[in-house]
Amino acid sequence: MPRCAVVLTFDRLPLRLLGTYGSSLCQTPHLDRLAARGCVFDSHFAENLNESRIEHVWWSENFPHENSPEARASGLAGRLRETGVKSALVTDRPPASWSLAPSGFETIRAIESSDDAKNSSFAELLAAAEEQLELLIKSDSPWLLWIHSSEMPEIPVPELEFLELYLDELTQLPPETDEDDPQDRPLPAELRAEALEFISQTLELLEQENAELELRHLKVLNVLGSARMSELDHYLGKFFEKLGTSSQGRQALLMLSSDVGLSLGEAALTRQLEPSMTNCPLSEERVHVPLIVKTDELPFLQRCSALTQHSDLPATLCDWFGLDALEKSNAGVSLLPMIRGERESIRKQSVSLADDWRSIRDSNWLLIENRDEGIERLYRQPEDRHQILDVLPHYVEVADRLAGR
């Protein structure tokens, strides 16, 4: 049977709303089931958050060996294509207007949702992916299907059906009786109207420039994010079901990740403690992103705490399809040996960049610096994930080691 792979990536995805990463509020049964059958990487971090970048790390930054413009343009998909691997990208962003659009894919299908569409844009994206999946399976060749979604927006706007699941988080329900089943208690009409009105007021506030968020507004953003996440999970469940109807789909390597994370107001609140860090784009919520890898062919770890980054995705795909690893210092490393239990880690540090900012982390420390503004902060990891207590004055030698000084 030919080797096959499905990669599902997002522009933004809030890691902490996923049940497998600790969310107790958000309902994502299909993603939870995927995580239970695969390997969950707990320390996966985005590498490049620069606004001016023209490439995604996971598609083309480190591929191929050559440095000519023609070679760089072919990217990961181009390398795979040269070895007989059919590749297709399905995205909800038209490549013509998208500076991060990849090259090298045999097929690129862009889905533009119309204003009068009956289904959500994500549902349309996955429906198109299912059509492409059927064509790839019929080809009887090794194939790669890459699905890229622009979800989630900075302010999630879920369908009402899914928002209804979380409205009670914004209200004070009457006390329960012994006979009550919380799942069967409908939200009273007046409380439902009150919750929807509060959401509308919060959205109006967020449209104001430099709006000051309070905890109650943060709760609204969390409800909107949770509802949108449940909506995405609902449609993903249908796609996973479709994928499992074929032997190729069941045995395909499946990877899910996100370009960057998404702050639902957390950074704005925590950074009130240190105004100099207010504009730092390298907050935990944005840099720390999910990565779930599943394959029915290999034994797997339930969880992996090793430091991983986006450049490891193309390296893993090359390994999966039998391509040689790149001999470059900044190239990624295949995750398959870790999933097999053949090695425990692949790097001692991970680095994230965003314009003038840089963060360097290892398993115990996180250094954030902005040389132009003379800012340098050191935080303990993982205890201080949200970068609240700067301990640099007490551990200068640690900062020097991380920075390579």
Side-chain angles (χ1 to χ4, degrees):
M1 182 176 296
R3 286 269 172 152
C4 310
V6 177
V7 183
L8 180 62
T9 53
F10 295 82
D11 274 353
R12 296 170 297 274
L13 206 63
L15 173 143
R16 68 178 191 80
L17 287 184
L18 298 178
T20 189
Y21 285 99
S23 174
S24 58
L25 169 64
C26 192
Q27 302 174 32
T28 53
H30 302 294
L31 285 171
D32 293 347
R33 192 174 302 114
L34 170 66
R37 296 175 58 197
C39 182
V40 177
F41 290 83
D42 288 313
S43 301
H44 188 67
F45 296 94
E47 285 149 299
N48 190 347
L49 287 78
N50 286 320
E51 296 295 335
S52 59
R53 61 190 168 138
I54 60 174
E55 296 174 321
H56 271 300
V57 170
W58 54 41
W59 278 326
S60 55
E61 182 165 300
N62 288 323
F63 290 85
H65 292 285
E66 297 84 358
N67 290 319
S68 66
E70 295 79 9
R72 287 199 303 271
S74 66
L76 166 68
R79 290 194 69 207
L80 294 175
R81 190 174 179 179
E82 291 174 358
T83 63
V85 178
K86 290 187 173 295
S87 59
L89 169 68
V90 182
T91 177
D92 56 6
R93 285 190 168 191
S97 61
W98 184 20
S99 62
L100 296 179
S103 299
F105 281 92
E106 187 172 2
T107 301
I108 295 182
R109 183 170 176 182
I111 306 302
E112 292 188 78
S113 180
S114 59
D115 294 336
D116 58 350
K118 295 181 180 180
N119 297 322
S120 77
S121 58
F122 191 65
E124 294 179 5
L125 175 69
L126 293 184
E130 289 184 10
E131 295 175 5
Q132 202 62 50
L133 175 65
E134 292 181 357
L135 294 175
L136 290 170
I137 290 175
K138 291 178 181 178
S139 70
D140 199 30
S141 300
W143 51 262
L144 165 66
L145 173 60
W146 199 302
I147 308 165
H148 185 77
S149 170
S150 61
E151 297 295 343
M152 290 181 158
E154 293 291 338
I155 301 177
V157 183
E159 294 179 2
L160 184 58
E161 171 189 353
F162 298 95
L163 182 59
E164 296 274 8
L165 299 174
Y166 300 95
L167 287 180
D168 59 342
E169 297 292 330
L170 302 176
T171 64
Q172 287 290 112
L173 284 172
E176 298 180 21
T177 66
D178 293 338
E179 293 78 21
D180 281 336
D181 182 344
Q183 298 296 324
D184 296 333
R185 299 180 72 204
L187 192 64
E190 62 274 14
L191 293 181
R192 178 180 181 277
E194 177 183 312
L196 291 174
E197 176 60 25
F198 183 41
I199 291 175
S200 297
Q201 293 174 0
T202 301
L203 292 176
E204 291 178 5
L205 174 66
L206 292 171
E207 291 179 357
Q208 301 176 16
E209 189 174 353
N210 299 322
E212 293 188 9
L213 292 179
E214 300 176 8
L215 284 173
R216 60 197 184 104
H217 301 129
L218 175 59
K219 196 167 187 178
V220 169
L221 284 174
N222 275 267
V223 164
L224 293 173
S226 296
R228 187 60 174 143
M229 197 70 243
S230 288
E231 182 181 342
L232 300 184
D233 181 80
H234 169 75
Y235 293 115
L236 279 173
K238 294 184 177 182
F239 177 76
F240 293 153
E241 182 179 358
K242 176 67 175 180
L243 189 64
T245 59
S246 72
S247 56
Q248 288 188 35
R250 288 192 298 273
Q251 296 186 29
L253 175 72
L254 177 60
M255 294 196 288
L256 182 146
S257 191
S258 177
D259 182 28
V260 297
L262 177 63
S263 174
L264 295 174
E266 305 94 332
L269 289 175
T270 58
R271 287 178 178 175
Q272 291 176 3
L273 301 173
E274 189 177 0
S276 63
M277 296 293 287
T278 300
N279 296 322
C280 177
L282 299 177
S283 66
E284 175 74 9
E285 296 82 12
R286 294 198 69 219
V287 178
H288 195 188
V289 291
L291 175 61
I292 303 173
V293 181
K294 172 195 164 292
T295 169
D296 289 344
E297 182 176 303
L298 304 173
F300 55 83
L301 301 169
Q302 287 292 332
R303 315 226 37 127
C304 181
S305 61
L307 290 170
T308 58
Q309 297 200 256
H310 286 335
S311 57
D312 300 327
L313 272 66
T316 302
L317 287 168
C318 285
D319 187 5
W320 179 254
F321 287 110
L323 274 69
D324 294 334
L326 292 178
E327 297 178 359
K328 289 181 63 176
S329 60
N330 62 340
V333 180
S334 173
L335 303 175
L336 296 183
M338 281 200 298
I339 297 175
R340 296 188 187 108
E342 298 171 0
R343 62 187 303 177
E344 295 182 355
S345 64
I346 56 178
R347 60 173 55 83
K348 294 181 179 179
Q349 296 181 347
S350 66
V351 179
S352 300
L353 304 173
D355 300 314
D356 298 328
W357 294 85
R358 179 176 74 154
S359 69
I360 309 168
R361 71 181 73 229
D362 61 16
S363 57
N364 299 308
W365 304 95
L366 167 64
L367 176 69
I368 296 182
E369 58 183 11
N370 184 321
R371 295 182 179 178
D372 289 347
E373 297 184 19
I375 296 175
E376 190 173 49
R377 301 289 186 271
L378 182 69
Y379 306 97
R380 288 185 179 275
Q381 296 287 283
E383 300 93 326
D384 191 5
R385 285 286 195 192
H386 297 283
Q387 306 149 18
I388 295 175
L389 182 61
D390 175 27
V391 296
L392 178 61
H394 306 289
Y395 298 95
V396 175
E397 73 284 358
V398 172
D400 290 343
R401 173 177 61 79
L402 290 173
R405 293 191 288 263

